Amino acid sequence: MSKEHACIAVRDLTMAFGSFVVQRDLTFTVNRGDIFVIMGGSGCGKSTLLRHLVGLRRPEKGQVLYGGHSLWQTGEAQRHELMQKIGILYQGGALWSSMTLAENVALALEVYTDLSAAEIKDLAGLKLALVGLAGFEEYYPYEISGGMRKRAALARALALDPEILFFDEPSAGLDPVSARLLDDLIVELRDSLGATIVMVSHELASIFAIGSNSVFLDTESKTMIAAGDPHQLLAHSDDARVRAFLTRGQER
C-alpha cells in the first residue's frame, strides 16, 4: 500500500452499549505516517473508539477498514492476520508484574513466532534497548519508575514489528519531563520504523507537540465535530467546544 493511501478508514461508525449510543456517524481517515489523536472531553467515548479500532468491540453500525479490508466483514483468519500488524500500549502499561521486562516483551514472540529461545531473548533485549531500557532486561515492573514502565510497555507493543501502534493515554500519570520524553520517543519511533500512531489523549502538551491529525468527539451531540491537524483546528475552528478544549488553562 503506497503512502498516499489510507492506513485506517472509519466509515459511518456508530458505537453503542445496547440502546445507549456512545458516538454515531463517525467518518475519518488515519493516513500512513500520522500521529493521529482521538480527543474530546471526559466520557465522550475515546477509549471505546480505540477498542473498536483494534478489534476488541464490534460496532453497532459502520466499518473499520485496514488498507481497504473491512475488519468486521472478513473471516476470522484474515481478521487475525490484520490484528497481528498492530501493537497496543494500554493506559496503565498492563505489564505482567510476575515477569521481568524481557519476559514481558518476549511473551508475544513466544506465542506468535517460531524463533528459538536464544533469538527471542536477543530480540526482547533489542526492543528494550530501542526504548532506552538496555540493561534493565531482568528488572521487574515494580522495580522501575512509571515512565520506565510506560517505555517497557511500548517495547512489548513493538515486539512483532507492527505497522500501526495504538496508545491509550500514553502520558497519563507521568510528570511533565517524563511525558515529554515519551512524546519524543513516539516521534522517533514513527520516523525510524515508519509506523503509524493512533493515540487517545487529553494532554494538550502532547497533542500539540506530536499530533499531526485528529478527530474530536463531542459528548453532548454524540458525534465528531472536528477533524484535522490540531494546530489548524486551534487556529481556524469556529466551534466553541473545540476551541474551549484546545485552549484549556490559557488566558484568552
Side-chain angles (χ1 to χ4, degrees):
M1 185 169 55
S2 62
K3 289 186 177 181
E4 63 267 27
H5 288 142
C7 186
I8 305 172
V10 173
R11 297 292 177 260
D12 196 27
L13 187 75
T14 292
M15 308 183 298
F17 295 96
S19 61
F20 177 75
V21 174
V22 180
Q23 288 282 321
R24 60 169 64 88
D25 304 328
L26 304 183
T27 295
F28 60 87
T29 299
V30 179
N31 298 308
R32 185 169 295 279
D34 271 347
I35 296 181
F36 187 96
V37 184
I38 300 170
M39 58 185 181
S42 297
C44 69
K46 300 185 294 294
S47 293
T48 300
L49 175 56
L50 193 72
R51 288 194 287 272
H52 281 73
L53 295 181
V54 302
L56 293 177
R57 187 165 185 86
R58 183 182 292 272
E60 186 73 16
K61 175 188 172 186
Q63 292 296 322
V64 177
L65 305 170
Y66 278 78
H69 300 285
S70 172
L71 181 58
W72 295 106
Q73 291 184 353
T74 188
E76 187 65 31
Q78 187 175 19
R79 182 159 60 249
H80 183 71
E81 183 179 341
L82 287 173
M83 291 299 92
Q84 286 206 36
K85 297 179 180 179
I86 73 173
I88 306 172
L89 172 60
Y90 297 99
Q91 183 171 338
L95 295 170
W96 293 99
S97 60
S98 60
M99 293 182 175
T100 66
L101 302 189
E103 288 169 342
N104 267 279
V105 176
L107 188 59
L109 297 167
E110 293 168 352
V111 173
Y112 294 110
T113 76
D114 296 322
L115 297 173
S116 68
E119 290 171 326
I120 289 175
K121 181 178 180 180
D122 288 344
L123 195 51
L126 177 63
K127 299 301 183 183
L128 286 166
L130 193 62
V131 300
L133 291 176
F136 288 87
E137 293 84 357
E138 301 308 313
Y139 281 66
Y140 288 88
Y142 63 84
E143 296 179 307
I144 59 177
S145 69
M148 294 171 75
R149 284 194 294 273
K150 291 274 187 172
R151 284 188 277 153
L154 179 52
R156 184 180 60 184
L158 293 169
L160 297 176
D161 297 323
E163 297 176 11
I164 311 168
L165 286 164
F166 291 90
F167 301 153
D168 190 359
E169 297 282 6
S171 300
L174 298 183
D175 62 85
V177 173
S178 296
R180 183 53 192 266
L181 289 173
L182 184 60
D183 286 344
D184 292 343
L185 178 59
I186 290 171
V187 174
E188 181 181 339
L189 291 172
R190 189 274 308 269
D191 293 343
S192 62
L193 301 178
T196 300
I197 312 293
V198 180
M199 69 177 196
V200 169
S201 183
H202 71 278
E203 302 284 351
L204 291 183
S206 292
I207 290 170
F208 288 121
I210 66 176
S212 63
N213 198 359
S214 71
V215 63
F216 187 95
L217 306 183
D218 179 52
T219 306
E220 183 178 349
S221 61
K222 296 186 177 182
T223 192
M224 57 184 286
I225 57 174
D229 185 315
H231 294 90
Q232 294 299 313
L233 295 183
L234 176 62
H236 301 297
S237 177
D238 57 2
D239 193 298
R241 293 164 292 182
V242 176
R243 292 198 309 273
F245 179 88
L246 293 175
T247 57
R248 286 169 289 143
Q250 299 180 22
E251 294 294 327
R252 299 298 290 168

